[in-house]
């Protein structure tokens, strides 16, 4: 479940408890937060540019359309010269000093989403909690690795004579 977080560099921003995207836990309320911010980014913020394929719904269901919108956003930031990794994931912001991932050393996708929507659509940013369930920040669990490993394919033994 998303929550309001704080830091010295960004006094108020929205964070997720678990990652959203390819091979991630994709918890309903975390997905809703990302869908809401992406929807505002592409439908209302400048420059508008091309909207990702498909109609995104703020329903908390992670699927192909949400994945397309995440990747489109990451590619747009890269093309504009921003430091971001196009990995189809929106990870929890852990380092609130540098806002960069410890492995990639690139800025978190969620930081970019927060910055853009907060800068361009103050009112929508402030009203996020009215449309997306948010958790009390004091009850947020510590960060986890947030990687879902797909199950190995089931091997079916060959049946002789068929």
């Amino acid at each position: 479940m998303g929550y309001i977080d704080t830091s010295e560099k960004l006094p108020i921003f929205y964070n997720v408890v678990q990652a959203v995207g390819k091979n991630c836990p994709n918890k309903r309320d975390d997905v809703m937060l990302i869908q809401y911010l992406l929807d505002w980014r592409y439908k209302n913020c400048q420059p508008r540019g091309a909207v990702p394929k498909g109609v995104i719904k703020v329903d908390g269901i992670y699927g192909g359309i949400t994945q397309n919108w995440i990747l489109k956003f990451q590619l747009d930031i890269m093309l504009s010269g921003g430091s971001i990794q196009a990995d189809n994931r929106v990870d929890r912001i852990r380092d609130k000093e540098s806002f960069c991932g410890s492995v990639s050393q690139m800025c978190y996708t969620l930081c970019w989403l927060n910055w853009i929507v907060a800068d361009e659509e103050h009112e929508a940013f402030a009203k996020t909690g009215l449309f997306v369930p948010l958790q009390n920040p004091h009850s947020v669990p510590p960060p986890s690795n947030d990687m879902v490993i797909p199950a190995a394919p089931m091997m079916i033994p060959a049946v002789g004579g068929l």
Side-chain angles (χ1 to χ4, degrees), residues 104-144:
S104 69
Q105 296 300 310
M106 294 191 177
C107 189
Y108 290 103
T109 298
L110 192 49
C111 284
W112 283 104
L113 270 172
N114 273 285
W115 287 333
I116 290 170
V117 177
D119 185 52
E120 296 286 331
E121 294 291 334
H122 311 289
E123 192 173 329
F125 188 77
K127 290 182 177 179
T128 300
L130 298 175
F131 301 98
V132 177
L134 296 174
Q135 186 168 323
N136 180 335
H138 301 294
S139 65
V140 174
S144 65

Side-chain angles (χ1 to χ4, degrees), residues 71-103:
L71 182 60
K72 170 77 166 109
F73 176 76
Q74 291 172 332
L75 293 173
D76 285 349
I77 296 298
M78 286 176 69
L79 289 172
S80 68
S83 170
I84 194 170
Q85 188 169 2
D87 59 359
N88 287 309
R89 296 174 56 99
V90 179
D91 290 301
R92 179 176 178 167
I93 299 170
R94 298 173 192 218
D95 183 349
K96 295 184 255 180
E97 296 298 317
S98 70
F99 289 101
C100 291
S102 58
V103 175

